[in-house]
Amino acid sequence: MVSKTNLAREYRKKYGDEMPALKLARIMYNENKLLLKDVEDARHRLRYIEGKGGVKDRTRVKNTEFFKEEARSLNPYNLPKSDETGYVPFKLDASRLLLLSDIHVPYHSIEALTVMFNYAKKEKPDAILLNGDTLDFFGLSKFCKDPRKRSFADELDAFKVLIEVIQKNFPNAKLYFKTGNHEERYFHYLWMKAKELVGVPEFELENIIKARANDITIISDKRIIQANGLNIIHGHEFASGFFSPVNVARGLFLRGKTSAIQGHNHQTSEHTESDMNGKITTTWSTGCLCELHPEYMPINKWNLGFAIVEMGDDMFDVRNKRIAQGRVL
């Protein structure tokens, strides 16, 4: 078993020097509750490897790779305390990534998922990213709802079964779960209707997900995922407005100005541009794996799809797949 100190080194190396120690400590604790007593235990280990545990501890640490010199005050004018938060991308390390967006359990397409599984099993991915809106959270929506639809508890039960199927068929793949705008319905519901439960561990979405999915890494806070030079988002991270391009991938290019892939719009698209120096930038959007004609929007431009991303030697290759008539195209 890895020691607490070595675990702290692994996490500091993975998330970089910019992430605040307390935020990193929360991530460490949430992902290693059998090893760490609490968040403060994780934070203590981070301070230890950074040489912030006092003179006595500094002399004990042999590996000084993460030592930090105490910075001078960055508030010479005694400005009021700020609640500013950091925004650090999540680094995803994989050789072959299976990217699945917009499954919308329990409104998933069994046919599309089956076709995707049959294709993806031959690809043998070593990582799977559930790239947002894996759950629909219909019952917690602010919109007018049909009371005959499945309950929130039913959604969670169906999600648990989906995860079991994924992990059974891809036992060697690391599983990642990114929150999308539909998962954020849960936060909004708590904030508006159950404020007293905000901050209670049993009601944290991350813990609700992990209780139904073993060995899963949660990526929240609208964080960009960076994978070998490819930026991955769900698609709701940009501020909403009237900007709605015909080509979703072109819209992503105009907003992001870098190679990236997103879901969210349920449409498969690709856009490429080169600059005056010949540098090529390509953006993609992926199809969905849910029903194509929901009651609230039966007429739309959606299509089924997913993506495979190959990574190696500081390069990536995106294979953006569509599903139609029971086949992967």
Side-chain angles (χ1 to χ4, degrees):
M1 179 181 292
V2 65
S3 69
K4 295 180 182 180
T5 300
N6 286 334
L7 181 70
R9 291 194 177 100
E10 290 177 8
Y11 273 76
R12 179 51 78 191
K13 188 172 184 179
K14 178 179 180 180
Y15 288 92
D17 294 334
E18 296 79 13
M19 179 173 283
L22 182 56
K23 184 173 183 178
L24 182 54
R26 290 194 183 106
I27 296 173
M28 283 178 57
Y29 171 65
N30 286 331
E31 296 180 357
N32 301 274
K33 291 186 177 180
L34 294 179
L35 181 61
L36 298 166
K37 292 187 297 183
D38 49 30
V39 173
E40 189 55 36
D41 187 17
R43 183 169 174 267
H44 171 73
R45 293 297 162 175
L46 288 169
R47 290 181 60 80
Y48 178 79
I49 66 168
E50 293 168 359
K52 295 180 178 179
V55 176
K56 189 174 181 181
D57 275 352
R58 286 178 70 91
T59 59
R60 292 177 178 174
V61 182
K62 296 180 180 180
N63 184 344
T64 59
E65 176 185 359
F66 298 103
F67 266 32
K68 295 182 178 179
E69 294 296 329
E70 292 289 348
R72 290 184 293 177
S73 173
L74 298 178
N75 190 11
Y77 298 103
N78 292 320
L79 297 169
K81 182 180 177 181
S82 171
D83 289 333
E84 179 184 14
T85 57
Y87 185 69
V88 181
F90 180 89
K91 304 288 186 180
L92 194 156
D93 184 25
S95 297
R96 180 172 293 160
L97 173 68
L98 174 61
L99 194 155
L100 311 176
S101 292
D102 302 286
I103 301 175
H104 288 275
V105 172
Y107 307 107
H108 51 286
S109 169
I110 292 177
E111 180 182 2
L113 285 168
T114 300
V115 171
M116 179 274 296
F117 281 148
N118 290 338
Y119 182 93
K121 284 171 69 174
K122 300 174 185 177
E123 296 289 326
K124 298 180 180 178
D126 61 340
I128 298 173
L129 171 61
L130 302 175
N131 191 34
D133 289 3
T134 303
L135 284 147
D136 191 81
F137 286 88
F138 173 83
L140 305 187
S141 166
K142 65 181 179 181
F143 303 108
C144 184
K145 298 176 285 291
D146 182 345
R148 296 168 297 180
K149 297 285 188 178
R150 286 205 228 180
S151 69
F152 179 48
D154 290 334
E155 277 198 36
L156 294 177
D157 289 342
F159 169 75
K160 183 175 185 293
V161 173
L162 173 67
I163 295 300
E164 289 172 350
V165 172
I166 290 174
Q167 293 183 324
K168 179 181 179 180
N169 285 278
F170 302 92
N172 299 316
K174 175 71 175 174
L175 188 58
Y176 298 89
F177 180 101
K178 178 169 171 56
T179 55
N181 53 296
H182 276 252
E183 282 85 12
E184 288 180 357
R185 287 176 172 179
Y186 180 78
F187 305 134
H188 299 161
Y189 183 88
L190 283 187
W191 297 343
M192 290 189 294
K193 297 189 177 182
K195 298 183 179 71
E196 296 81 2
L197 300 180
V198 176
V200 177
E202 290 81 359
F203 292 95
E204 293 286 346
L205 179 60
E206 182 169 331
N207 294 329
I208 291 173
I209 296 299
K210 287 188 173 181
R212 293 159 178 80
N214 295 322
D215 300 320
I216 193 170
T217 299
I218 311 295
I219 307 167
S220 56
D221 300 326
K222 292 187 171 73
R223 290 174 71 187
I224 297 171
I225 300 172
Q226 293 181 342
N228 234 49
L230 177 66
N231 296 276
I232 305 172
I233 61 174
H234 172 63
H236 73 305
E237 291 82 355
F238 292 105
S240 59
F242 296 105
F243 184 73
S244 182
V246 174
N247 184 303
V248 177
R250 183 173 184 272
L252 178 57
F253 172 81
L254 293 175
R255 286 176 162 183
K257 302 294 193 298
T258 188
S259 294
I261 188 169
Q262 71 161 81
H264 186 54
N265 292 80
H266 301 200
Q267 296 177 53
T268 300
S269 64
E270 179 176 332
H271 179 77
T272 298
E273 290 195 23
S274 59
D275 64 17
M276 64 189 301
N277 296 311
K279 180 183 177 182
I280 295 176
T281 298
T282 301
T283 49
W284 298 264
S285 67
T286 61
C288 61
L289 291 163
C290 61
E291 62 177 333
L292 291 181
H293 304 286
E295 186 178 272
Y296 70 92
M297 191 189 292
I299 301 174
N300 54 63
K301 299 186 293 184
W302 299 355
N303 70 271
L304 301 168
F306 63 98
I308 302 283
V309 184
E310 303 274 359
M311 291 174 276
D313 298 326
D314 296 323
M315 296 289 289
F316 61 85
D317 178 42
V318 175
R319 288 185 277 143
N320 201 8
K321 298 296 182 179
R322 290 174 293 130
I323 298 174
Q325 298 180 346
R327 295 187 301 137
V328 175
L329 307 175

